[in-house]
Amino acid sequence: MNIRIQNNVRHDCIGTTKKFRILLTFMLLLFLYMATVNPLHGQSYQPSPENLKTREWFQNAKFGLFIHWGVYSVLGDGEWVMNQQQIPVNIYEKIPSFFNPTEFDAKAWVQMAKAAGMKYITITSKHHDGFAMWDSKVSDYNIVKRTPYGKDVLKMLADECKKEGIKLFFYHSQLDWHHPDYFPRGNTGGSWTGRPESGDMNKYLDYMDAQLTELLTNYGEVAGIWFDGMWDKKDADWRLQKTYNLIHQLQPAALVGSNHHRAPYPGEDFQMFEKDLPGHNTTGFSAESKVGTLPKETCETINNSWGFHLKDDKHKSKKDLIQYLVKAAGYDANFLLNIGPMPNGKIQPEHVALLNEMGEWIRIYGETIYGTRGGPLTARDWGVTTQNGNKVYVHLLKWFDESITIPSWGKKIKSVKIFQDKTPLKFSLNDFGLSFKIPKDKLNEIDTVIEIEIL
Ligand code: H79
């Protein structure tokens, strides 16, 4: 009886193994099928060594300047004005003839970014209105052919950035309210644009790839392409792999990122979060977004607009902006801070002043931001931590008491100091965590930075 039972058991075991093997083979075949057929998720992507080097530079850089500049600035109503005011293509096409930014000074822009402590610039090559801000040969809907200004601002900026050691990214809109082949149309840029009720999306994507080829061929080293607009047609075939491969072939070191508010697709090298820290969703854009393992960036506006907005005076404060930079670093992300230059090529003086104030702060505290990674403790109500080697920086963004206990993270502590003047602080590692005392006069309204040396 015992033997029979044992036999039965053994027999059953063999059955299970066989079933398991069949299931395994099936899953392997399914995986191979997905890998070859699924155009988005199945492709394996191996970033080149140059690309990995740029990723590391990017993570160390921490702070960049976002620039939204296009012919829309003439109307002073933001970069969405064409859609918001439902201006048909044939009327919108009149705007470039008024765009004459005679005060544009690439040197002044780059100096401003440097003075703010920014290490890179991301500028709109083409926004949703479809207007090219460079000397494109693929279409004459561009700054050189259609504006009285007639000069290639991207070229001037690229040359200046190169001279000054600032890296340059191009923001490029996949969504296009102007091109007739952007069809079927998405959720924006509807029939009011006056475009034909037919078109060939593949032709549009060929056009986009041709324009990207220009940007990645004629403007020297490009740090990356910052895509936006896929969300306009969520289920379209965007031929991502073809476009991403093209970019990686033309400039292997360039990073690809896309503001599609989803988990990254193969071929992407960094992940961005619009107006939110990674994992947050105050805007409602990031509901489907999953925080991945790629280098991260969060972008935010200096007032409430991306493109120049005449009536927008909701400028953020110096404190808001510095604290956002610090929080981003604590979340292991870069901060890409946006300004929208005016139609004359100048930047609003309030914005220049704010950037200068950020620069003053970062000249003192840069060591606690640049080159760091998110620290051992995730964000808390009181602030965040950053880390570089054996130094951990505790950024107290909201703390008014003379002592604090933070969770310990299993490291022995060599010293605890006020970062700015190296005042040593009394500390103790105890059952509740790491406690230290901060003299009241050392508490800083923006960020009390504590430097902890670990063993
Ligand atoms: O390029 C910037 C925006 O133009 C673009 N992404 C950033 C980086 C963007 N596209 N969509 N959105 C941001 C979110 C959409 C916001 C909208 Fe609206 C709310 C579109 C219409 C209502 C904001 C407010 C834009 C126009 C009015």
Side-chain angles (χ1 to χ4, degrees):
M1 186 64 179
N2 256 352
I3 290 168
R4 256 187 67 200
I5 289 171
Q6 271 187 353
N7 273 351
N8 273 351
V9 171
R10 233 175 91 81
H11 181 76
D12 225 40
C13 271
I14 291 167
T16 311
T17 316
K18 257 188 189 163
K19 276 183 213 155
F20 183 66
R21 276 202 197 126
I22 292 166
L23 186 71
L24 208 69
T25 315
F26 175 74
M27 283 176 66
L28 191 72
L29 286 172
L30 187 73
F31 174 77
L32 286 173
Y33 170 80
M34 300 265 295
T36 45
V37 174
N38 188 318
L40 295 179
H41 296 281
Q43 307 279 327
S44 69
Y45 165 58
Q46 202 59 51
S48 66
E50 301 96 301
N51 189 281
L52 294 175
K53 236 178 101 186
T54 315
R55 289 185 190 189
E56 199 182 342
W57 160 83
F58 182 73
Q59 286 189 289
N60 290 336
K62 283 290 177 293
F63 192 23
L65 177 67
F66 210 176
I67 303 180
H68 274 70
W69 201 37
V71 292
Y72 44 78
S73 65
V74 169
L75 301 183
D77 196 11
E79 77 293 350
W80 269 67
V81 60
M82 181 176 176
N83 188 81
Q84 298 306 93
Q85 292 190 19
Q86 306 215 332
I87 306 172
V89 164
N90 64 334
I91 308 253
Y92 196 87
E93 281 193 352
K94 294 178 181 183
I95 300 173
S97 65
F98 316 134
F99 185 68
N100 194 13
T102 50
E103 307 283 306
F104 169 69
D105 180 354
K107 202 182 177 73
W109 285 17
V110 173
Q111 287 307 322
M112 179 192 69
K114 282 182 89 167
M118 292 155 159
K119 304 292 187 195
Y120 61 99
I121 294 177
T122 305
I123 187 165
T124 44
S125 43
K126 183 192 87 163
H127 206 269
H128 309 332
D129 67 356
F131 191 80
M133 292 295 282
W134 75 98
D135 185 10
S136 177
K137 308 293 182 221
V138 179
S139 148
D140 73 347
Y141 198 49
N142 72 61
I143 188 163
V144 174
K145 311 274 174 14
R146 294 281 186 104
T147 73
Y149 189 62
K151 284 185 254 180
D152 185 337
V153 289
L154 294 193
K155 183 79 181 109
M156 289 188 265
L157 189 65
D159 290 347
E160 188 61 26
C161 282
K162 185 171 182 199
K163 221 167 81 192
E164 293 293 329
I166 293 288
K167 288 202 194 266
L168 185 64
F169 289 71
F170 292 126
Y171 165 109
H172 206 77
S173 174
Q174 292 155 300
L175 155 62
D176 195 307
W177 295 327
H178 180 269
H179 201 286
D181 281 315
Y182 185 88
F183 192 88
R185 290 184 295 262
N187 291 326
T188 64
S191 54
W192 55 263
T193 56
R195 292 179 287 182
E197 291 303 319
S198 64
D200 179 350
M201 187 65 182
N202 270 314
K203 267 198 197 157
Y204 168 71
L205 291 171
D206 289 342
Y207 158 85
M208 191 182 80
D209 286 350
Q211 288 209 319
L212 287 167
T213 303
E214 293 180 336
L215 291 168
L216 290 153
T217 310
N218 304 328
Y219 296 84
E221 219 175 83
V222 174
I225 302 292
W226 205 107
F227 283 113
D228 197 7
M230 253 177 78
W231 39 260
D232 183 56
K233 284 208 278 187
K234 279 192 176 179
D235 301 321
D237 177 3
W238 286 96
R239 292 194 342 206
L240 285 191
Q241 296 310 313
K242 191 171 177 194
T243 300
Y244 291 176
N245 285 341
L246 173 76
I247 298 168
H248 289 312
Q249 270 159 21
L250 289 169
Q251 295 214 21
L255 305 182
V256 171
S258 178
N259 188 31
H260 43 52
H261 313 305
R262 290 173 173 173
Y265 289 108
E268 293 173 5
D269 307 301
F270 68 109
Q271 184 178 11
M272 65 277 267
F273 302 85
E274 180 172 331
K275 284 177 158 288
D276 256 317
L277 293 162
H280 289 234
N281 185 23
T282 59
T283 52
F285 305 147
S286 303
E288 293 176 52
S289 185
K290 289 193 180 58
V291 182
T293 54
L294 294 176
K296 296 179 255 299
E297 181 191 68
T298 167
C299 55
E300 183 51 287
T301 51
I302 200 161
N303 47 8
N304 272 342
S305 314
W306 298 101
F308 174 60
H309 201 299
L310 189 62
K311 289 198 291 186
D312 184 349
D313 59 358
K314 300 277 180 298
H315 314 294
K316 295 184 177 66
S317 67
K318 167 188 169 184
K319 179 176 171 177
D320 290 338
L321 293 171
I322 292 170
Q323 290 201 336
Y324 198 71
L325 171 69
V326 172
K327 279 186 201 164
Y331 276 80
D332 210 19
N334 290 6
F335 178 25
L336 185 63
L337 171 58
N338 181 79
I339 48 135
M342 298 186 286
N344 64 357
K346 286 252 194 218
I347 291 151
Q348 284 171 257
E350 311 89 301
H351 296 171
V352 178
L354 278 167
L355 293 183
N356 270 324
E357 288 181 307
M358 292 192 79
E360 280 166 20
W361 183 88
I362 213 163
R363 269 192 288 285
I364 300 167
Y365 292 98
E367 185 191 317
T368 74
I369 303 289
Y370 300 128
T372 64
R373 296 293 181 270
L377 302 178
T378 52
R380 295 293 194 279
D381 281 348
W382 44 255
V384 296
T385 58
T386 55
Q387 180 164 10
N388 194 349
N390 64 345
K391 292 218 175 122
V392 171
Y393 305 102
V394 177
H395 297 266
L396 299 173
L397 301 173
K398 213 171 149 193
W399 194 259
F400 317 103
D401 295 321
E402 286 175 275
S403 66
I404 183 168
T405 300
I406 63 174
S408 61
W409 59 95
K411 291 278 182 196
K412 289 198 176 134
I413 308 285
K414 192 172 162 196
S415 64
V416 179
K417 296 174 191 156
I418 294 287
F419 169 77
Q420 197 185 344
D421 60 7
K422 308 298 171 207
T423 306
L425 302 186
K426 276 192 189 160
F427 69 93
S428 98
L429 263 177
N430 52 52
D431 286 351
F432 307 105
L434 169 65
S435 309
F436 46 87
K437 282 195 78 161
I438 315 157
K440 200 156 199 147
D441 62 336
K442 301 289 177 192
L443 285 169
N444 185 298
E445 199 227 342
I446 294 180
D447 183 6
T448 306
V449 187
I450 311 294
E451 176 186 304
I452 299 179
E453 212 176 331
I454 51 175
L455 288 167

